[in-house]
Amino acid sequence: MKLFKSLAVLAGCASAAAYEKCITCEYVGVADDETNAIADLKAATCTNPASDDELEDLKYTVSGTTDADNEKYCVSIFYMFEAKDIGNKVVYGVKRYVSDSSVTLSRVDVDGYEGVKGIASSVQQKALDNDAKDADGNDAPILLTNFIERGVDGALYMGDGREDPVTSGDASTVNIQTFDSIRCLVCHDAQEFSTAPLQSSDITMPCWNPSGNVFATDDEAARDPTKYCSPENGLCMTKTWQYKTKNDANVVTSHWVAIERGCASNTEKASLGSSETDVLTPNKRAVSANMFVRMYAATNTASKAKDNAKYPDADVSTKIDHADVKDDKSAIQQGDHSTFDIRPITAQFMSSDGSGKPDVPSVAAATEELECISCSTPIGNTDSANDCVTAKTTGRVKCKTLACSAITSSYKLGEDATETYYYAKRGCAADPDDGVTDGEQENADDYVVPDGWTNIKQYNQRSTTTNGNTGRSSSISTAVVFDCYSCESSFSTTVSGANPADPIFDSVKEKDTSLCWQTFKPVADSSSSATGTSGSCTGKCYVSAYKYKESTGTSKLPATTFNWYIKRGCDTEMSVINNETPAPALYGISQTNRVCDYTNGTLCNGLVEGYDTTLEIATQSSRLLQCYDCETPAGNTDPEDPCYTVPSTTKAVECPDLSYTSCSTTETAYTLNGQSFYGIKRACHKGDHEDSTEAVAGFKNVNSETTHCTSGSCNKANGKTTDLVVAVESSPGSGTENETEESGAAVVAFSGLMAVTLALFH
């Protein structure tokens, strides 16, 4: 295990300044293991510059005053952690900056990460005599806090930054920090303007500033490589560029700003897009343009990856275009022994409010709009000689996106169908950067596929050549009905003994009489067992499932009951989403829901995520809801009654079973003829738990209020004793013998009616 220590290192740098200098730089890298990460950190220019030439490649700051009271502090933060999803490689980094105050040698959170710790330390600048020289005869040496190995000069810090500083004793053997992943946000966008935007916040496409709820950060999204990627080199990449178009009359018709975010490849280089070598052909548009390519460190969660991807704008403090400072080494943080020109930890020129100029290269000349074939087939077209199908149409359109598109498909609706349908749509590519590849697409888009069918292919073509979108599908698909398994299965098995292992499916499968946990496809032989299906589905297939265990034995004869539940079907309302929800009518049990659609093929909900025949779904431990259960006596006038005002020593009791999902409190309190009455009932409740109000018979203005709560011991709140309603008795009903107008009669009525009313909520 390797460690950090504060150490002043002097290295020559010619200058006439009156103070030692502080380097400000950042560097991030990835190594195969901790040993190599430490070696890289010790060799990195930002960590340990070996010569004046290396220092010239780094941004540095000088105090700028001769007043000794304003001396600065050179601060460094070192960190490293292991990322499981890139083969347990070690991500490491160093950040140096200048501070007006001292930073005590300590463990700190590293900006831009979630839970990653680093070691921070600082060393103070010193005023120098004008003729002060270092050992090499140079003026104004550079002052550093350096990275060293464990045991050197008494260093006792853990390299992972998780321990508090110590001054003596042996170093701990705590392992290096470990996280499941490193992540970069994946997105692209292009936005049209009438003129070039002057401020970054004027650009509103989501990928430019990924705030809000457009980009999900849940576990499912974090595992989706189309939403978040894991860079082998530890670097995220942001590309920005712009162009403008003109028509045949040489009039500018649109201005575009585009962005692409993702993981930096091992061959990608950072670029300021201002030289001939930086001119690229971005994505799939008929335009050659300069492109800014920025690099910064990947982080360890999807949420932080989204947060780190802010407005790409020019340096807000200077308002200087990047191209104007390309040759100014003080403005470029460079790393050594790497194919990358820039390896910062924080994203360069990114602001939280977009107040800077957009980080895009300038555009000199407009590009002519691209002419493309434009047409579409009518609904249900069966004519293979249709002009759009054959691309012989005379329809044309001018495209500001500078890309043409052709989407074609030929299919039959079932093996016995006699007609073949021919679909074609040609025109501008609305989003040339959407990742669509030329050639056959396994599952056609939803506007190509008729509702209730699947297994239809389509042919895609993108072209940057004038009227080049002439592609046509060469094969005919045979569509099949988009069907879903439709079944429900619920069963239990009890295992004796303390702490039993989960039963395997083979031991309980005979209880799955509807064949829903393990599905069986329909076959021609009707005598064979098969799982039920829904028939043609015009929505999505879904599966919802949970497993839980509960203790059902005694202390002398312990036993555990394992419960299984699953439901599969067709969701025509599109209301089911991939998520976790409370299981219906079961306290504390979560239900996992998964969906699939026609692109996954028919009967796709027989194999959705973890719900295949291995049935690897976690068994949850159940616990009964606890509620206070009591009732005040009839006609109670005591506000200190132990049910109306619950003593702190009173304990809640367990509800009878898991179907009790809420605690209820029904309260009726009022004043009649100067006497206050306090009635309350507390209980476990099953079924719907909406709060309600019920009128109390015998009164015109007295109500019983029922409230529900869903956490343990939650129905403890004392009944109210102030602001009670002054009761007004209702008139006796006609024809009722021996009715009295005495106030005491209402008290008796309250007692009986409370018993009836409150019984409804138990």
Side-chain angles (χ1 to χ4, degrees):
M1 187 61 65
K2 307 299 182 180
L3 311 171
F4 298 137
K5 181 198 171 193
S6 175
L7 178 68
V9 177
L10 299 182
C13 182
S15 173
Y19 285 84
E20 295 170 315
K21 295 178 179 178
C22 294
I23 290 177
T24 59
C25 63
E26 299 179 8
Y27 187 82
V28 64
V30 174
D32 290 336
D33 51 39
E34 184 184 359
T35 300
N36 285 324
I38 292 172
D40 286 351
L41 266 176
K42 292 171 65 178
T45 299
C46 186
T47 306
N48 188 19
S51 67
D52 292 352
D53 291 339
E54 288 188 354
L55 293 175
E56 290 177 359
D57 287 338
L58 295 174
K59 182 179 178 182
Y60 60 87
T61 302
V62 181
S63 172
T65 178
T66 58
D67 186 351
D69 291 337
N70 289 327
E71 292 173 350
K72 305 291 185 180
Y73 291 83
C74 306
V75 183
S76 67
I77 298 176
F78 292 94
Y79 70 91
M80 62 175 63
F81 65 88
E82 190 176 274
K84 293 181 181 178
D85 65 340
I86 55 172
N88 295 322
K89 291 183 178 180
V90 175
V91 180
Y92 62 88
V94 57
K95 182 174 183 177
R96 298 189 182 278
Y97 63 95
V98 180
S99 174
D100 290 330
S101 57
S102 173
V103 175
T104 304
L105 190 61
S106 59
R107 178 182 61 180
V108 298
D109 292 320
V110 182
D111 289 342
Y113 294 92
E114 193 166 303
V116 174
K117 299 292 185 179
I119 291 293
S121 60
S122 67
V123 61
Q124 188 176 18
Q125 288 180 313
K126 294 180 181 179
L128 300 174
D129 296 333
N130 289 334
D131 58 352
K133 305 289 183 181
D134 62 15
D136 297 324
N138 297 314
D139 298 318
I142 298 293
L143 195 60
L144 297 173
T145 52
N146 207 20
F147 176 84
I148 64 170
E149 295 185 44
R150 171 173 134 184
V152 178
D153 294 331
L156 297 170
Y157 295 92
M158 292 310 306
D160 68 357
R162 279 181 291 169
E163 293 193 340
D164 294 324
V166 292
T167 56
S168 62
D170 295 331
S172 169
T173 56
V174 176
N175 292 330
I176 191 172
Q177 296 173 102
T178 300
F179 295 93
D180 290 335
S181 60
I182 57 171
R183 288 288 184 264
C184 297
L185 177 67
V186 176
C187 64
H188 74 275
D189 258 325
Q191 185 174 355
E192 181 182 2
F193 300 88
S194 57
T195 59
L198 300 178
Q199 185 166 294
S200 192
S201 58
D202 294 335
I203 303 171
T204 58
M205 52 187 169
C207 192
W208 191 264
N209 181 38
S211 60
N213 299 320
V214 174
F215 299 100
T217 57
D218 55 69
D219 288 342
E220 183 184 359
R223 295 192 302 267
D224 187 341
T226 65
K227 298 176 181 177
Y228 295 92
C229 56
S230 302
E232 288 287 337
N233 51 31
L235 291 173
C236 300
M237 171 197 68
T238 298
K239 295 180 178 180
T240 56
W241 47 283
Q242 62 181 334
Y243 71 92
K244 56 187 177 182
T245 61
K246 63 181 180 180
N247 58 21
D248 293 339
N250 209 33
V251 175
V252 173
T253 55
S254 66
H255 191 101
W256 292 80
V257 174
I259 186 170
E260 178 185 345
R261 298 184 188 271
C263 290
S265 69
N266 291 329
T267 57
E268 194 77 59
K269 290 188 177 182
S271 165
L272 293 178
S274 60
S275 68
E276 290 183 1
T277 58
D278 297 326
V279 175
L280 306 172
T281 301
N283 306 301
K284 296 184 177 181
R285 299 176 192 249
V287 61
S288 293
N290 292 331
M291 180 184 290
F292 284 163
V293 182
R294 302 290 181 200
M295 307 291 184
Y296 61 97
T299 186
N300 61 318
T301 66
S303 178
K304 278 294 182 181
K306 173 185 167 182
D307 290 345
N308 291 348
K310 299 180 176 65
Y311 293 102
D313 55 13
D315 190 339
V316 177
S317 61
T318 63
K319 305 289 186 181
I320 299 175
D321 282 330
H322 305 298
D324 295 335
V325 298
K326 183 176 188 298
D327 296 325
D328 180 0
K329 290 182 178 179
S330 68
I332 302 176
Q333 300 167 4
Q334 295 195 10
D336 59 352
H337 58 83
S338 167
T339 60
F340 293 90
D341 298 314
I342 303 174
R343 278 182 169 266
I345 295 172
T346 54
Q348 287 188 304
F349 311 114
M350 298 285 175
S351 71
S352 59
D353 60 1
S355 59
K357 298 172 65 176
D359 181 39
V360 286
S362 59
V363 174
T367 302
E368 289 187 6
E369 295 174 340
L370 183 66
E371 184 176 270
C372 304
I373 297 174
S374 177
C375 63
S376 63
T377 53
I379 296 175
N381 175 62
T382 57
D383 181 10
S384 61
N386 177 278
D387 284 348
C388 194
V389 173
T390 60
K392 295 180 179 179
T393 179
T394 58
R396 298 292 184 267
V397 65
K398 291 297 184 87
C399 297
K400 298 176 182 179
T401 59
L402 304 181
C404 301
S405 169
I407 299 172
T408 58
S409 180
S410 304
Y411 56 87
K412 293 182 178 181
L413 297 179
E415 293 183 359
D416 298 330
T418 58
E419 288 188 315
T420 300
Y421 295 88
Y422 299 92
Y423 175 89
K425 183 178 181 180
R426 307 180 191 275
C428 301
D431 182 5
D433 313 314
D434 55 11
V436 172
T437 58
D438 284 0
E440 197 167 71
Q441 179 177 315
E442 188 66 24
N443 294 289
D445 295 324
D446 56 1
Y447 51 81
V448 176
V449 178
D451 286 344
W453 295 87
T454 185
N455 203 42
I456 296 176
K457 299 178 181 180
Q458 74 180 43
Y459 181 86
N460 299 314
Q461 182 193 33
R462 292 290 172 78
S463 173
T464 56
T465 303
T466 300
N467 299 322
N469 53 332
T470 59
R472 181 177 179 180
S473 57
S474 57
S475 61
I476 298 176
S477 302
T478 299
V480 298
V481 171
F482 177 56
D483 199 356
C484 305
Y485 285 111
S486 182
C487 59
E488 188 173 9
S489 182
S490 177
F491 55 87
S492 303
T493 185
T494 300
V495 181
S496 300
N499 302 316
D502 285 15
I504 61 174
F505 181 67
D506 284 346
S507 68
V508 296
K509 63 182 180 182
E510 72 279 358
K511 296 176 179 286
D512 183 21
T513 55
S514 59
L515 304 180
C516 200
W517 275 96
Q518 183 175 358
T519 57
F520 293 85
K521 292 183 177 181
V523 292
D525 183 2
S526 59
S527 64
S528 299
S529 298
T531 304
T533 63
S534 65
S536 180
C537 179
T538 58
K540 292 184 176 182
C541 298
Y542 73 90
V543 56
S544 299
Y546 56 81
K547 287 164 53 178
Y548 69 93
K549 61 183 179 181
E550 54 186 336
S551 177
T552 53
T554 64
S555 57
K556 292 184 178 180
L557 297 172
T560 302
T561 298
F562 292 85
N563 301 280
W564 304 55
Y565 174 82
I566 194 166
K567 185 177 182 180
R568 305 180 192 268
C570 169
D571 177 24
T572 57
E573 302 296 326
M574 309 289 275
S575 59
V576 183
I577 60 175
N578 291 320
N579 64 357
E580 304 284 330
T581 58
L586 285 175
Y587 173 72
I589 303 301
S590 296
Q591 173 177 288
T592 301
N593 309 295
R594 293 290 180 262
V595 297
C596 56
D597 60 22
Y598 77 94
T599 62
N600 304 106
T602 192
L603 299 176
C604 59
N605 63 336
L607 181 60
V608 179
E609 295 248 339
Y611 301 107
D612 57 13
T613 54
T614 61
L615 305 179
E616 291 299 333
I617 175 174
T619 299
Q620 303 168 70
S621 295
S622 65
R623 57 186 178 88
L624 297 174
L625 177 64
Q626 292 183 332
C627 301
Y628 289 92
D629 192 347
C630 62
E631 185 177 359
T632 53
N636 176 56
T637 59
D638 181 10
E640 299 299 323
D641 180 272
C643 188
Y644 200 80
T645 301
V646 181
S648 59
T649 55
T650 302
K651 303 296 182 183
V653 297
E654 286 188 341
C655 297
D657 56 59
L658 291 177
S659 66
Y660 289 84
T661 58
S662 67
C663 301
S664 66
T665 303
T666 300
E667 179 180 348
T668 307
Y670 62 94
T671 297
L672 182 65
N673 296 334
Q675 177 65 60
S676 295
F677 296 90
Y678 308 98
I680 204 166
K681 180 176 176 61
R682 307 176 191 273
C684 294
H685 179 81
K686 63 169 65 177
D688 294 337
H689 37 77
E690 292 185 1
D691 295 346
S692 61
T693 300
E694 293 286 341
V696 176
F699 300 99
K700 293 181 178 180
N701 61 336
V702 178
N703 295 315
S704 63
E705 305 284 344
T706 300
T707 58
H708 297 270
C709 54
T710 57
S711 58
S713 307
C714 60
N715 63 334
K716 187 181 181 179
N718 295 333
K720 69 177 182 177
T721 57
T722 60
D723 299 325
L724 303 185
V725 64
V726 177
V728 177
E729 296 178 83
S730 58
S731 300
S734 59
T736 302
E737 296 182 359
N738 301 323
E739 288 185 324
T740 177
E741 295 182 2
E742 295 294 328
S743 60
V747 176
V748 175
F750 160 72
S751 174
L753 291 169
M754 271 292 289
V756 174
T757 301
L758 298 179
L760 297 175
F761 298 96
H762 195 288

